[in-house]
Amino acid sequence: RRCAALEERARRRKEAQETRALGALWKVAAERPHRSASEGRMSRPRYSAQTRAQLARAMAPEDREGFLAANPVKSAAAVASGGEAQEHGAALERWLSAQHRAASLAGMANVRKVGPPVVVGSGGVLVGFGGVGPADYLGALRGGRAVAVEAKSREARLSMREIPRHQQDDLARTAHLGGLALLVVELRDTGRIYAAEWGAVPWRYSKALVRGVAETRATVGAEELAGCEVSAREIYLARWL
């Protein structure tokens, strides 16, 4: 009977910890800075109606109202566009998984897909993310050299802004310590995939006026990446061995 009471107490303590962790995550989402319409710019919709409702239900009542006000529902067109982008990203992931399996079988490298740390609830159910993650893929080449790979699929050009700052930093740290940091880009208008070392990506810099403020933008496309193409029968990591 005493053991049962101790187990019940431990279960309740674990549930309380999970509830606090989940509440903290949603509180961060609710308090995320945004511009309102009164500031001259509408908040950019980030969630579908279903996702928005699920997130709101998980929040404390005092946080829910602010979250809903700050996050308008995505339009059907935006949801469809996001789904298409996810499909292209998933296809590139499948290609990379096949590449990394081939590299492993050939004794060239051991590379795995990674992600951000997660908060897991009762029964192993994912309830949220506990922080930011590294580059998309981490591993090691034959000989022991560390490798980090960030992968993106875009229609024509990739902007450096589309790579989250924490992933840029992870690639830079890997390269600084002597590892191999790579950017793998699929440009769908050419039907080709390119691989370049992060520190040698040939970004094209340009000036743009955004809401009256001059900004510098860095983008890369097929013209700049010429010579970095990955051939159909090539294990892309082989060129760095």
Side-chain angles (χ1 to χ4, degrees):
R1 193 178 305 167
R2 183 179 178 186
C3 288
L6 290 173
E7 289 175 359
E8 177 64 18
R9 190 180 305 167
R11 185 187 65 80
R12 289 181 180 178
R13 184 163 53 246
K14 182 179 178 182
E15 288 181 352
Q17 290 172 343
E18 292 169 358
T19 301
R20 285 195 297 271
L22 184 58
L25 289 172
W26 297 147
K27 191 171 182 64
V28 169
E31 295 176 349
R32 183 172 178 172
H34 66 280
R35 287 180 178 267
S36 65
S38 62
E39 294 175 305
R41 185 186 177 200
M42 289 294 292
S43 301
R44 183 178 179 182
R46 293 186 295 136
Y47 304 111
S48 66
Q50 181 179 2
T51 301
R52 180 173 177 262
Q54 288 175 340
L55 291 175
R57 281 197 297 271
M59 293 180 182
E62 60 269 22
D63 297 326
R64 188 176 300 130
E65 184 177 349
F67 172 79
L68 293 174
N71 291 278
V73 176
K74 276 187 176 183
S75 67
V79 172
S81 177
E84 183 179 357
Q86 287 182 343
E87 289 177 8
H88 289 304
L92 180 57
E93 284 188 11
R94 289 193 293 272
W95 180 85
L96 279 165
S97 294
Q99 279 274 328
H100 296 151
R101 282 196 299 272
S104 179
L105 290 171
M108 293 182 179
N110 179 37
V111 181
R112 296 180 180 179
K113 180 83 168 68
V114 295
V118 298
V119 178
V120 179
S122 299
V125 178
L126 172 66
V127 296
F129 294 101
V132 296
D136 292 334
Y137 298 86
L138 298 178
L141 299 176
R142 184 175 61 220
R145 188 183 185 189
V147 59
V149 182
E150 179 65 20
K152 296 294 180 188
S153 176
R154 292 296 180 269
E155 183 60 36
R157 297 187 68 82
L158 171 69
S159 171
M160 188 186 292
R161 290 183 175 186
E162 295 175 289
I163 303 173
R165 178 87 257 171
H166 63 273
Q167 291 181 317
Q168 293 186 38
D169 292 342
D170 188 65
L171 292 169
R173 283 193 296 268
T174 297
H176 178 71
L177 292 171
L180 176 63
L182 297 177
L183 177 65
V184 173
V185 184
E186 177 191 29
L187 298 178
R188 299 191 294 272
D189 64 341
T190 68
R192 309 204 69 169
I193 295 174
Y194 306 80
E197 292 192 33
W198 176 248
V201 175
W203 300 104
R204 176 184 290 180
Y205 292 89
S206 60
K207 295 284 187 179
L209 200 64
V210 181
R211 295 188 296 278
V213 179
E215 294 186 359
T216 300
R217 293 183 174 180
T219 64
V220 69
E223 181 180 352
E224 295 81 25
L225 289 170
C228 299
E229 300 91 341
V230 179
S231 66
R233 297 184 179 181
E234 174 189 6
I235 296 178
Y236 80 99
L237 290 171
R239 64 181 71 172
W240 284 282
L241 291 172

